[in-house]
Structures are given as C-alpha cells and as structure tokens.
Amino acid sequence: MAYSTINTTKWGNCTQCPSTNVACVKVKKDLVCTQCNDRNKALVQIKKQKDRNALRSDLAHVRKLAVEVDGVKAPKEYGELDRWFKERQKEMTGKFMNCGGKTEAHTKLYKCSIGHILPKAYFKSVATHSENWLELCFYGNSCHTNYDNKMIDLIDLNCFDTVIQKFTKIYPHIAKDELRRVPPILIEYLKTEI
C-alpha cells in the first residue's frame, strides 16, 4: 500500500498573525499558520455549541408556555408538572420504597427517583395528583426504569401495600376515558378495599 508523501502545508507568512516563514494551511486565498487555523476551528465549534445551547434554552422556555393554536388549547403546561415534582421532593425520605437503597432526594437529579404509579402519559387527569408517586431508585437497582418498562410488575413491588393505599385515593380523580387503562390487579384490590 502506498502512502502519499505530498505535503499539505505550505511555508509562508500567516495573514492572521505576525508569524513569518511558518507552516501554513491555505484557507480560501489566504495562508493561515497551523496555530491560527486550530484556533479558528475551535472558535467555530464554540459558536456552534453556544447556538445549540441557546436553542435548547428557547425550547425550554417555549415548553413552559401554554399556547393556543387554532382554537385548541395546548395540554397542561410543564410548569405545573415541575411544581408537582418540587412538592414531591419535599416528601422524599431518601430511601427507596422498593429495594431500600439511597435515593437522589437531595440532589439535582431528584426527579429520577420519583416514579408515577399511574404513568403520566396515559393518565393525564392524575399526572399531578399528590398520591400518584413512589420513591424508586434510578441508579442503584434501576427500580424506576424497570417499573416503567414493565420489567417489575406492580405486584412484585415490595411497597405494593403503599401502592394500593395511594391508588384508592387516586381512583376517584381518574378521568372516565382513562379508566380502561387501569391495571386489572389494582381494580381487584380496589373492590376488596371498598
């Protein structure tokens, strides 16, 4: 296999700094020394990152606004859900309800340890109900992730009694069109509780 020995750099005077007779790269019609060329590339990358961060910030701001489009009101604003998470953080004990480990209760990642009993995507009417949550690990045994992905069943949770108690308080507030999604095991226990 043959390798090219053609030199891609030229020797000359940099047009961006006072360096003379140095290895340069041709950028458009100018000769730019390798140090200036590297600095220019870094500045382009920094600008791209700032643009991405600004876009993320704008999108986060837009998410918080309740917008009405063509007479149809947008779903509940995300600010309500954020307030709900902050209220739940105050109630967190720092101990997982399922496996007994330590939670992220007093860190910025506290939301990872708050799992909804009834998923907020399917049960919008009770997504921010004060009883619709469990304190589950996210990083240790991944109880939160496993519960959300149906790898841990409701009945397999060590805190199933707490789930039943909370569900009996949540049930009257569930919208009629969402009742069909309630897990049958919870309905069975609800009948025995009443």
Side-chain angles (χ1 to χ4, degrees):
M1 177 181 275
Y3 292 99
S4 174
T5 58
I6 299 173
N7 192 358
T8 58
T9 58
K10 300 183 183 297
W11 291 88
N13 299 336
C14 180
T15 57
Q16 293 184 353
C17 70
S19 299
T20 57
N21 200 20
V22 292
C24 294
V25 178
K26 192 165 186 175
V27 178
K28 297 186 182 178
K29 293 184 177 181
D30 297 329
L31 284 178
V32 180
C33 70
T34 53
Q35 291 175 339
C36 290
N37 190 42
D38 292 344
R39 186 179 337 103
N40 291 343
K41 287 181 181 179
L43 290 173
V44 167
Q45 292 300 319
I46 290 170
K47 183 181 181 316
K48 285 181 181 179
Q49 184 63 42
K50 284 182 181 178
D51 291 345
R52 282 192 296 265
N53 289 344
L55 181 61
R56 283 187 193 122
S57 176
D58 290 344
L59 289 175
H61 177 69
V62 168
R63 276 181 52 182
K64 292 181 180 178
L65 298 175
V67 181
E68 191 169 313
V69 180
D70 297 330
V72 177
K73 192 169 183 180
K76 289 183 180 178
E77 71 178 79
Y78 287 94
E80 183 179 348
L81 191 60
D82 288 339
R83 285 189 293 276
W84 180 84
F85 273 113
K86 287 177 185 168
E87 288 298 316
R88 300 301 71 85
Q89 183 186 20
K90 294 174 187 175
E91 298 173 28
M92 291 176 81
T93 62
K95 187 176 180 182
F96 298 138
M97 291 181 160
N98 188 43
C99 62
K102 185 180 173 191
T103 65
E104 304 295 323
H106 305 293
T107 68
K108 291 180 181 179
L109 303 172
Y110 69 95
K111 290 181 184 180
C112 296
S113 295
I114 300 173
H116 280 76
I117 295 171
L118 299 174
K120 61 185 177 285
Y122 298 125
F123 296 91
K124 295 187 187 313
S125 60
V126 291
T128 56
H129 191 281
S130 61
E131 295 292 328
N132 189 17
W133 74 287
L134 293 172
E135 191 168 355
L136 297 170
C137 67
F138 189 78
Y139 294 109
N141 293 327
S142 298
C143 293
H144 186 174
T145 305
N146 292 337
Y147 175 71
D148 285 349
N149 294 331
K150 310 281 188 265
M151 295 174 77
I152 298 177
D153 197 18
L154 269 171
I155 201 142
D156 296 334
L157 290 172
N158 293 334
C159 55
F160 188 66
D161 295 336
T162 306
V163 171
I164 296 298
Q165 292 170 357
K166 289 184 172 225
F167 178 71
T168 55
K169 295 175 186 173
I170 297 168
Y171 184 75
H173 303 282
I174 299 173
K176 291 187 190 233
D177 60 325
E178 297 170 351
L179 286 173
R180 63 185 171 82
R181 295 179 182 256
V182 175
I185 190 74
L186 291 178
I187 298 294
E188 290 300 318
Y189 273 90
L190 185 66
K191 288 177 184 175
T192 59
E193 289 285 321
I194 295 176

